[in-house]
Amino acid sequence: MSDLTQVLARIDDGLYDSLERLFELLRIRSISADPAFRADCRSAAEWCAGALKGAGFEASVRDTIGHPMVVGHYRGAGDGAPHVLFYGHYDVQPVDPIALWNRDPFDPAVVEVDGEKRILARGASDDKGQLMTFVEAARAWMEVSGRLPVNVSVLLEGEEESASPSLLPFITANAEELKADAALVCDTNMWDRQTPAIATQLRGLLYEEVFLEAASHDLHSGYYGNAARNPIHVLVDLLARLRDPQGKVTLPGFYDGVPEVTAEQKRQWGTLGFDEKAFLGDIGLSIPAGETDHTVLEQVWARPSLEVNGIVGGYTGEGAKTVIPAKASAKVSFRLVGEQDPDRIRDAFRSFVRAQVPADCKVSFASHGGDGAVTLPVDSPFVEKAKRALSEEWGKEAVLIAMGGSIPIVSQFKRQLGMDSVLVGFSLEDDRIHSPNEKYNLKSFHGGMRSWARILDALGR
Ligand code: BES
Ligand code: MN
């Protein structure tokens, strides 16, 4: 029996032990955005370092100005063998609104729904379940054969869900240690339940917050209505002007660097059989809201977007209160594609806002990060090998897809380390990542472990 066959059998036999280890990680409340969970983030980092040691890596928790990084190394494949860097993140999104969860988000369980076993917990899919597919695959390799087929370093981050403030300093300071022939990133999804996928495009993200202040304090709307400037009105007027009725963003220069969708992309994406109606139907919608001259798949994969993520101001409690608020604010983000430059778009956004705000209204901004889009090779030997391994595992040809989301590290790997990433993940569109009742199918977890076992084998050949 080949090593790989034995490793796969080991993964099958050990599925419930692997699941138990994943549950331990899922019980840790590592919400990176909320300072109240700082100690939990550290616990999760320590747990991950322990798991890596258990899988045969040399591993350590590294302090940063924010949440710690976890770094592991295995060099046993020798100097001639390829060297890959695996990346995942142990932090999770906040759980609110908590009332909408069917069970405690940090008390994981496997529940059967529609004949499908699902792991329920915050982070089950994004990204604890995903990162554990790799750690468990490595563990199975070590247990069965005492070795990994290639040299492997691991970087697990604890700030991915909160704009990764420590990432750039950490990568630059540890460039020599982290640089490998390619990065393997497990934070994306399959095309559908049967079809494995490699993502070769990610959108970038620019995230801004805008604060408006008008009168010196909240006012009675009878005394002052009409005469006093209402900052909520100013805010919604300017937000409305950011987008035209055809779904285009109106900021000057916004579309600089946005490539046309190529004929090859149209052809390749056409073969995927994307169902616009089902895509929107699954979330209770029916009418695409983006640029009217683009298909839904193009809107989410290949076109930039503007979204208001939150808006705050005035009286929102029970009943009526006749008030003109003194303040209003909004969180606004842009998904970027191609060569769109986050710094230039930030400047354009701020100038646009300043120009619309009347003189006796004060405006200020906060930045929550800005990263450009990434385009990855579609035909490197790493992609080819991963593609073949995935196709063998799932019994169906793996497809190359784009991804509307962002993974800040991928552009940093490219820019700081000159390293391309291979994005392989096993999440599904209906995993409800970032939402209440997040889940990861047991099949994703099991098939994910088996896939990595095969990919490691293929990379060693
Ligand atoms: N796993 C997601 C990225 C993702 C989203 C992949 C959708 C595939 C489909 C990742 O954890 C994430 O949510 N990233 C953030 C980054 C941001 C906070 C800088 C995102 O895209 O909003
Ligand atoms: Mn993620």
Side-chain angles (χ1 to χ4, degrees):
M1 234 200 288
S2 76
D3 278 358
L4 177 61
T5 311
Q6 291 182 58
V7 172
L8 294 174
R10 174 85 197 186
I11 288 172
D12 296 347
D13 295 343
L15 176 59
Y16 284 86
D17 295 328
S18 299
L19 190 62
E20 194 37 60
R21 285 186 287 270
L22 170 58
F23 275 22
E24 287 180 16
L25 178 58
L26 289 172
R27 289 186 191 109
I28 306 174
R29 299 162 187 258
S30 49
I31 302 170
S32 58
D34 186 343
F37 296 92
R38 204 177 160 78
D40 302 85
C41 289
R42 173 164 296 274
S43 305
E46 276 159 7
W47 189 93
C48 288
L52 286 173
K53 286 179 192 157
F57 292 85
E58 165 207 306
S60 57
V61 172
R62 307 286 190 85
D63 289 335
T64 69
I65 46 165
H67 301 301
M69 303 277 178
V70 181
V71 178
H73 296 293
Y74 168 83
R75 298 191 178 85
D79 287 346
H83 176 203
V84 291
L85 173 67
F86 175 81
Y87 167 88
H89 62 94
Y90 67 76
D91 64 322
V92 299
Q93 285 275 326
V95 295
D96 61 282
I98 185 74
L100 298 183
W101 285 79
N102 297 330
R103 50 179 298 122
D104 178 349
F106 296 104
D107 178 22
V110 173
V111 173
E112 195 160 328
V113 182
D114 300 335
E116 204 173 63
K117 291 199 173 75
R118 299 175 169 184
I119 305 165
L120 298 182
R122 170 55 92 226
S125 174
D126 187 13
D127 186 43
K128 290 171 173 176
Q130 299 246 64
L131 80 86
M132 286 297 283
T133 58
F134 185 87
V135 175
E136 290 293 319
R139 184 188 174 101
W141 261 104
M142 288 298 290
E143 285 179 356
V144 165
S145 68
R147 66 178 186 100
L148 300 182
V150 290
N151 293 314
V152 179
S153 296
V154 175
L155 173 64
L156 304 178
E157 190 196 348
E159 299 179 333
E160 199 273 348
E161 302 290 10
S162 51
S164 303
S166 312
L167 193 63
L168 180 59
F170 187 80
I171 293 187
T172 4
N174 299 282
E176 270 315 298
E177 182 183 356
L178 295 173
K179 180 149 174 46
D181 301 322
L184 305 175
V185 176
C186 192
D187 198 17
T188 51
N189 46 248
M190 304 204 358
W191 169 246
D192 60 25
R193 278 168 167 63
Q194 290 78 39
T195 322
I198 298 177
T200 60
Q201 268 177 254
L202 291 169
R203 289 197 286 189
L205 183 66
L206 169 68
Y207 204 123
E208 289 278 292
E209 189 164 7
V210 50
F211 305 91
L212 295 181
E213 282 177 65
S216 58
H217 54 277
D218 285 5
L219 305 170
H220 189 292
S221 68
Y223 266 123
Y224 293 101
N226 272 340
R229 186 68 66 183
N230 184 329
I232 299 184
H233 295 188
V234 176
L235 185 63
V236 297
D237 283 350
L238 75 87
L239 293 176
R241 280 195 290 269
L242 279 169
R243 219 165 167 270
D244 76 11
Q246 283 70 46
K248 301 272 180 218
V249 175
T250 55
L251 289 181
F254 183 74
Y255 291 95
D256 292 355
V258 175
E260 288 303 317
V261 180
T262 64
E264 173 56 19
Q265 280 171 321
K266 280 188 195 284
R267 188 200 61 76
Q268 203 201 326
W269 296 349
T271 64
L272 295 172
F274 179 73
D275 183 344
E276 294 197 353
K277 277 212 172 58
F279 180 73
L280 289 175
D282 286 348
I283 52 166
L285 298 174
S286 58
I287 306 165
E291 292 166 284
T292 46
D293 54 349
H294 287 276
T295 67
V296 170
L297 198 60
E298 288 168 8
Q299 288 177 16
V300 296
W301 279 5
R303 298 298 297 172
S305 69
L306 153 74
E307 297 295 339
V308 179
N309 301 109
I311 179 162
V312 178
Y315 181 68
T316 57
E318 293 291 318
K321 181 184 181 193
T322 50
V323 64
I324 301 174
K327 294 179 178 181
S329 67
K331 295 182 196 272
V332 178
S333 67
F334 301 85
R335 297 281 172 180
L336 309 177
V337 303
E339 301 299 319
Q340 274 182 306
D341 179 347
D343 294 328
R344 284 177 55 188
I345 293 173
R346 182 185 295 115
D347 289 347
F349 172 71
R350 293 185 177 190
S351 309
F352 178 92
V353 172
R354 285 197 185 97
Q356 320 272 327
V357 174
D360 66 347
C361 199
K362 263 193 291 185
V363 58
S364 59
F365 298 92
S367 169
H368 298 289
D371 265 303
V374 253
T375 306
L376 298 163
V378 295
D379 52 6
S380 76
F382 291 97
V383 172
E384 290 298 333
K385 286 178 180 180
K387 207 168 166 224
R388 220 170 317 129
L390 285 168
S391 306
E392 272 161 29
E393 171 58 28
W394 296 86
K396 197 168 170 201
E397 193 61 23
V399 295
L400 299 181
I401 60 172
M403 212 77 257
S406 311
I407 307 172
I409 194 134
V410 177
S411 60
Q412 305 293 356
F413 279 161
K414 183 72 193 173
R415 242 176 301 151
Q416 308 306 321
L417 306 182
M419 178 167 67
D420 281 315
S421 302
V422 183
L423 309 182
V424 174
F426 309 97
S427 294
L428 297 173
E429 213 159 71
D430 65 356
D431 280 358
R432 296 185 179 237
I433 64 170
H434 298 200
S435 295
N437 304 315
E438 178 175 350
K439 61 92 174 162
Y440 197 45
N441 284 15
L442 189 61
K443 178 100 193 289
S444 292
F445 185 54
H446 188 186
M449 292 189 283
R450 290 177 52 100
S451 297
W452 286 120
R454 288 181 190 271
I455 292 172
L456 287 171
D457 183 61
L459 295 177
R461 279 170 201 282

